[in-house]
């Protein structure tokens, strides 16, 4: 996965193969070691967007 854009609410990325399914739970590990969890909210070709779980 190549992150194209990231914010406090989510990210957009390009998958190296097939992107994850809609509503699939994914995680992103940041350089500082933190992990963020979210749901895939959109996908188009190999691109997809994740909405982070901001409740935790």
């Amino acid at each position: 996965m190549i992150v194209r854009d990231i914010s406090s609410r989510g990210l957009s990325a390009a998958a190296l193969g097939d992107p994850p399914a809609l509503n699939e739970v994914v995680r992103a590990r940041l350089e500082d070691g933190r992990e963020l969890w979210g749901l895939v909210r959109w996908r188009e070709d190999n691109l997809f967007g994740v909405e982070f779980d901001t409740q935790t």
Side-chain angles (χ1 to χ4, degrees), residues 2 4 11-23 40-50:
I2 299 169
R4 300 173 60 217
L11 64 80
S12 67
L16 300 176
D18 290 329
L22 287 177
N23 296 314
V40 176
R41 293 301 191 190
W42 63 267
R43 58 181 269 178
E44 182 177 320
D45 299 323
N46 72 321
L47 305 178
F48 64 99
V50 175

Side-chain angles (χ1 to χ4, degrees), residues 1-52:
M1 168 176 82
I2 299 169
V3 175
R4 300 173 60 217
D5 187 35
I6 190 168
S7 73
S8 61
R9 297 186 316 167
L11 64 80
S12 67
L16 300 176
D18 290 329
L22 287 177
N23 296 314
E24 185 172 337
V25 175
V26 296
R27 70 178 182 183
R29 182 173 292 132
L30 304 179
E31 289 181 356
D32 65 5
R34 290 182 296 155
E35 284 189 350
L36 301 173
W37 296 83
L39 294 174
V40 176
R41 293 301 191 190
W42 63 267
R43 58 181 269 178
E44 182 177 320
D45 299 323
N46 72 321
L47 305 178
F48 64 99
V50 175
E51 178 184 21
F52 292 140

